[in-house]
Amino acid sequence: MIERLCIIGVGLIGGSLARALRDAGACQEVVGAGRSVGNLQIAVDLGVIDRYETDLGQAVSGADMVVVCVPLGAMEGVFNAIKGQLSGQVVLTDVGSAKGNVIEAAQRAFGSVPDFFVPGHPIAGTEQSGVEASFPGLYNNRRVILTPLPGTSALATGRVRDMWEAAGAQVVSMNPVHHDAVLAATSHLPHLLAYSLVDTLARLDDNDEVFEYAAGGFRDFTRIASSDPVMWRDICLANRDAILLMVEHYIDDLQVLREAIRNHDGQQLLDVFTAAKSARDRFIDKSSG
Ligand code: NAP
């Protein structure tokens, strides 16, 4: 049981966590924090949080669990604002989509990474943002990756694990470098490609016609280009090295397809498409199984 949960950044991810924990009866009080009173008042009206503070130091005061749910570019500012204000028994965690960058931010803000800080990342979300888009079932049967460091307290890691399990998630642990490489491939590259494709098409002279005739495949492929641009700018800058590796790998493979088309090499195209189809079919079977 969490006595006082403090969610800094009551948007899709933070709001959904608060809702899930309240529904599970896993916390007594939820204090929200952020910059905009309008957004925080909506969170109170929706029953997501009990009360709010715009002063982050006051928001964390007396909290036994603090979850930082702001965009990656705002993490260091939040750590600076709460350091020295946290209670003795506190556990601090975050939900940022890249981990090395958040750990470095914590190191700079606190002087060294506190043993009560457990970096985390829920592998769940939608292309919507804001507290109005939050819902309690977001984490049901979804993975949450924790990336504790060798110095992280086992007790703190256990409390964060218990929190996410109470919210319905399955918790796994991973080294932060490995996390950033895996997510660059499975999430960050696909978002970059979706944004890039839609931008390329939107800049064509006859783009109205392109979008008019776009069918289901276009909608499926580009859904994630409706995600929040600020969040994805921050992710690309935060996970720069791992994303660059994947982009270079992808450009090499795209050039293979370009050459196959240029050279009328149907066999090469068939080989790539067949391998891709069977990899995707295997993945879909496994994830629906
Ligand atoms: P969101 O819906 O836009 O919510 C972010 C919240 O942070 C907003 O409510 C905003 O409220 C607050 N905020 C922004 N800047 C702030 C600052 N400088 N100080 C204090 N509060 C600030 O975004 P989200 O989708 O929940 O994403 C939040 C985090 O979750 C990001 O780090 C992201 O990488 C991670 N994440 C997202 C997803 C996803 O699919 N969306 C999945 C996994 C992890 P105010 O305007 O009131 O300040």
Side-chain angles (χ1 to χ4, degrees):
M1 171 65 87
I2 298 167
E3 282 176 20
R4 183 178 294 169
L5 169 70
C6 174
I7 302 275
I8 303 181
V10 189
L12 170 71
I13 295 296
S16 296
L17 178 61
R19 285 180 191 263
L21 293 174
R22 286 172 87 104
D23 281 9
C27 59
Q28 277 176 6
E29 184 190 21
V30 186
V31 180
R35 301 161 306 177
S36 129
V37 169
N39 177 50
L40 293 165
Q41 186 56 50
I42 293 172
V44 172
D45 295 344
L46 291 172
V48 175
I49 57 175
D50 294 302
R51 62 183 178 87
Y52 63 81
E53 300 281 353
T54 50
D55 179 304
L56 299 188
Q58 279 180 19
V60 299
S61 160
D64 52 335
M65 178 67 76
V66 174
V67 189
V68 186
C69 305
V70 300
L72 284 166
M75 291 280 178
E76 189 167 347
V78 168
F79 292 148
N80 275 314
I82 63 176
K83 75 176 173 203
Q85 311 291 325
L86 295 157
S87 74
Q89 301 305 312
V90 76
V91 172
L92 175 67
T93 184
D94 78 299
V95 298
S97 305
K99 300 286 24 119
N101 177 271
V102 177
I103 291 167
E104 284 165 18
Q107 193 156 20
R108 282 192 298 272
F110 292 98
S112 61
V113 181
D115 63 355
F116 56 82
F117 174 53
V118 184
H121 177 205
I123 311 298
T126 71
E127 68 278 19
Q128 314 286 325
S129 50
V131 69
E132 293 97 329
S134 65
F135 60 100
L138 179 63
Y139 304 112
N140 270 345
N141 296 318
R142 304 305 295 270
R143 294 253 175 96
V144 171
I145 303 177
L146 302 183
T147 62
L149 299 172
T152 308
S153 137
L155 195 67
T157 306
R159 291 202 54 212
V160 175
R161 174 181 290 271
D162 290 347
M163 175 185 76
W164 283 111
E165 286 178 353
Q170 297 167 0
V171 180
V172 296
S173 290
M174 207 180 268
N175 162 316
V177 175
H178 188 55
H179 167 280
D180 286 357
V182 169
L183 269 292
T186 55
S187 170
H188 306 169
L189 180 68
H191 278 81
L192 201 63
L193 298 185
Y195 279 124
S196 169
L197 176 72
V198 176
D199 179 59
T200 300
L201 297 187
R203 285 187 295 104
L204 294 177
D205 288 341
D206 50 355
N207 69 70
D208 283 351
E209 195 178 22
V210 169
F211 288 116
E212 193 178 331
Y213 289 103
F218 175 81
R219 195 172 270 271
D220 288 351
F221 187 84
T222 59
R223 177 182 60 79
I224 53 179
S226 293
S227 305
D228 180 28
V230 171
M231 180 174 122
W232 283 96
R233 174 203 62 191
D234 286 3
I235 290 172
C236 288
L237 297 177
N239 201 18
R240 177 176 176 270
D241 294 346
I243 293 176
L244 281 179
L245 268 181
M246 283 314 303
V247 169
E248 271 148 32
H249 197 120
Y250 183 75
I251 288 172
D252 289 347
D253 286 353
L254 196 59
Q255 279 171 344
V256 168
L257 290 179
R258 182 182 66 186
E259 290 313 298
I261 294 170
R262 182 175 280 151
N263 299 329
H264 294 276
D265 186 348
Q267 189 56 51
Q268 173 72 11
L269 294 172
L270 197 59
D271 288 350
V272 172
F273 297 165
T274 305
K277 175 176 165 36
S278 92
R280 185 171 191 280
D281 290 350
R282 271 199 315 277
F283 159 72
I284 295 291
D285 280 353
K286 203 171 148 198
S287 55
S288 48

